[in-house]
Amino acid sequence: LLKMAAVDDIVPDLPSDLPEDGLQIEADDGILERGNSASMSRSSRRHPVPVRAAPQPPALASKPAAPEPYSMATANSFGASTERRSADFSDVAKYQILEIAGTDKQGRPVFVFYAARMPAREELDHDDLLKYMLHTMDAIVENDYSIVYFHHGLNSKNKPSLSWLRRVYSSFDRKYKKNLKALMVVHATMFVRTLLTVLRPLLSTKFGKKIAFVHRLADLQEQINLTQLNLPPDVQRYDDSLAAKRSRSRSRNPPAAAVPVKTVFGAASLQAVTPVNSDGIPTVLLSCINYLELHGMDVEGIFRRSANALEVNRVRDLVNAGEAVDFEASNDVHLPAVLIKSFFRNLQEPIFPPQHYHAILGVAALDDDKVRIEKTRELLGNLPAQNLNVLKVLFSFLDEVAKHSDENRMTAVNLAIVMGPNLIWSNERAANLSDMGAINGYTAFLVSHFAECFL
């Protein structure tokens, strides 16, 4: 897990006689804490040269091929190709240990690992699990992403061996580490926290900001919409027991102050957002778009790169308190882009209301663009008027951003990857690779066919 988070070799010289199983200590309760990790370079390894009749110089390792660039065809076929490839991992996928679960409150895709779903070691080939892990993560690691690891349920029967962890350490290359922006460890045991404390002298301050120990699902809700997660019942019961324990310990304390109603970021729905203009467009959304039209159209990676998390939270609090935001003073063109993603992601009801979710997947599956445009216009006509007005403003802007893709590198497909999961989701089921492919492909279609669909 630490390897995925930019740690090359936390313990590079592990002795071979260490026991295969680590310690298992019951987790205790508490509030959110932060830990550290480090980044150390890994020495390259060469494959042995096969024996030949005559001595031959060792062959140079071929350079890995560059990843195929995104295209509209790739986006539209993503769900189908993923489904075919996933069949190769059916023996692993059936346990539901790994999933891609929508996005976090910063708009970044979320990769989730449930230790509670790990079967006994003799029931699962952990090398196949590693291959499946790489296969699953490959769908999101080209852009910023987050990892949530649920530690509860790991025990002596299902814990991977130390030799397997070494293989994991050597399998994750730079692309997995560079774009990881948050590693959240939920229900960590004392052993996990103690391990990081012992290794603290070796860990970098920079990476330490990526790790957060989250002791309660209520704390995790501040970062991720929990309805996106397909939580194992054992994890939910364990969290309930922690909540009951905390409730008993605080029974003598006075009740907490009422939480103020969120009127922008975290609003119950678009209709609950204030202030808005005469067309129902939220003022903060217009402010972000106006600033980006002036300063962000040619910025490489706009909407893909992150802004400072503390600054994002500070500005969101200001907006929810009814105060104006001066983007000129922030001197960070990525801040308003992140706020746009965060605004849509934090709506408790998505801008495409959830009752239209299955209809959207149906339209996304259509092959004929003319039919898809016709069905899209019908779908948009069934949305609330305010939702349609906001979507027109948003996709008109995204269409302009895509027209500058030679400078900003954000094509319709790349914009869809970072925006789609913030606009379309279901409250009835956790996100999966097939649905995400369809959602991203359809979002890219709306960007590239803005005029035909909205005007």
Side-chain angles (χ1 to χ4, degrees), residues 120-134:
R121 284 192 293 270
E122 58 270 17
E123 297 179 22
L124 175 65
D125 186 330
H126 287 165
D127 287 338
D128 287 344
L129 175 61
L130 174 57
K131 294 174 185 176
Y132 181 55
M133 188 184 304
L134 292 168

Side-chain angles (χ1 to χ4, degrees), residues 107-108 124 145 235 401:
R108 300 175 298 228
L124 175 65
Y145 71 102
V235 171
V401 174

Side-chain angles (χ1 to χ4, degrees), residues 411-422:
T411 63
V413 172
N414 290 340
L415 286 169
I417 290 171
V418 296
M419 286 301 302
N422 299 313

Side-chain angles (χ1 to χ4, degrees), residues 370-409:
K370 290 184 178 180
V371 177
R372 188 185 290 189
I373 290 171
E374 178 185 347
K375 294 298 182 181
T376 294
R377 294 183 69 89
E378 291 179 7
L379 189 153
L380 295 175
N382 292 327
L383 298 181
Q386 185 181 6
N387 293 50
L388 180 57
N389 289 342
V390 171
L391 286 170
K392 282 182 179 179
V393 170
L394 174 65
F395 278 95
S396 175
F397 170 62
L398 294 178
D399 179 38
E400 290 300 317
V401 174
K403 290 176 181 177
H404 290 73
S405 61
D406 286 345
E407 293 80 24
N408 60 37
R409 307 295 184 186

Side-chain angles (χ1 to χ4, degrees), residues 89-316:
F89 299 101
S90 58
D91 289 344
V92 181
K94 68 181 181 181
Y95 293 108
Q96 298 182 307
I97 301 167
L98 315 172
E99 68 178 10
I100 296 177
T103 60
D104 62 16
K105 298 294 179 72
Q106 304 294 331
R108 300 175 298 228
V110 177
F111 176 79
V112 185
F113 188 109
Y114 299 106
R117 292 199 172 117
M118 290 277 287
R121 284 192 293 270
E122 58 270 17
E123 297 179 22
L124 175 65
D125 186 330
H126 287 165
D127 287 338
D128 287 344
L129 175 61
L130 174 57
K131 294 174 185 176
Y132 181 55
M133 188 184 304
L134 292 168
H135 158 73
T136 306
M137 293 184 68
D138 276 345
I140 64 172
V141 297
E142 297 297 337
N143 297 290
D144 293 349
Y145 71 102
S146 300
I147 292 177
V148 179
Y149 167 62
F150 287 87
H151 184 69
H152 177 72
L154 195 69
N155 54 56
S156 59
K157 294 182 179 180
N158 65 6
K159 187 177 297 182
S161 68
L162 189 59
S163 61
W164 183 80
L165 291 177
R166 292 194 191 100
R167 289 195 293 277
V168 172
Y169 288 168
S170 62
S171 297
F172 288 90
D173 59 27
R174 186 172 182 271
K175 73 175 181 179
Y176 295 91
K177 300 177 291 185
K178 177 183 176 183
N179 292 329
L180 174 63
K181 300 303 177 184
L183 171 59
M184 290 165 272
V185 184
V186 185
H187 300 150
T189 63
M190 183 63 72
F191 171 73
V192 172
R193 284 179 282 162
T194 301
L195 176 63
L196 287 177
T197 301
V198 171
L199 296 175
R200 190 179 300 276
L202 303 175
L203 306 179
S204 70
T205 302
K206 181 178 179 181
F207 178 71
K209 296 178 181 178
K210 295 184 179 182
I211 301 178
F213 289 137
V214 184
H215 297 282
R216 290 286 320 287
L217 293 178
D219 299 327
L220 186 63
Q221 177 69 38
E222 294 298 316
Q223 303 299 326
I224 296 174
N225 188 341
L226 296 183
T227 60
Q228 301 171 185
L229 304 179
N230 182 22
L231 289 172
D234 285 350
V235 171
Q236 183 65 64
R237 284 192 292 269
Y238 178 72
D239 192 78
D240 291 342
S241 70
L242 294 180
K245 178 181 176 182
R246 177 174 291 187
S247 177
R248 289 193 299 270
S249 67
R250 296 185 175 183
S251 59
R252 297 181 182 180
N253 293 341
V259 178
V261 177
K262 296 178 180 179
T263 59
V264 182
F265 293 97
S269 67
L270 182 62
Q271 286 65 39
V273 175
T274 58
V276 297
N277 70 1
S278 59
D279 293 323
I281 314 300
T283 302
V284 66
L285 183 60
L286 291 174
S287 298
C288 292
I289 289 176
N290 290 339
Y291 183 83
L292 289 171
E293 285 178 335
L294 292 174
H295 304 285
M297 304 301 281
D298 297 331
V299 175
E300 183 172 343
I302 196 69
F303 282 103
R304 182 181 65 80
R305 296 183 179 176
S306 299
N308 181 278
L310 293 177
E311 181 66 7
V312 171
N313 291 333
R314 185 188 72 83
V315 172
R316 286 193 307 198

Side-chain angles (χ1 to χ4, degrees), residues 308-329:
N308 181 278
L310 293 177
E311 181 66 7
V312 171
N313 291 333
R314 185 188 72 83
V315 172
R316 286 193 307 198
D317 290 342
L318 286 177
V319 172
N320 276 340
E323 299 185 30
V325 179
D326 182 6
F327 291 119
E328 297 286 351

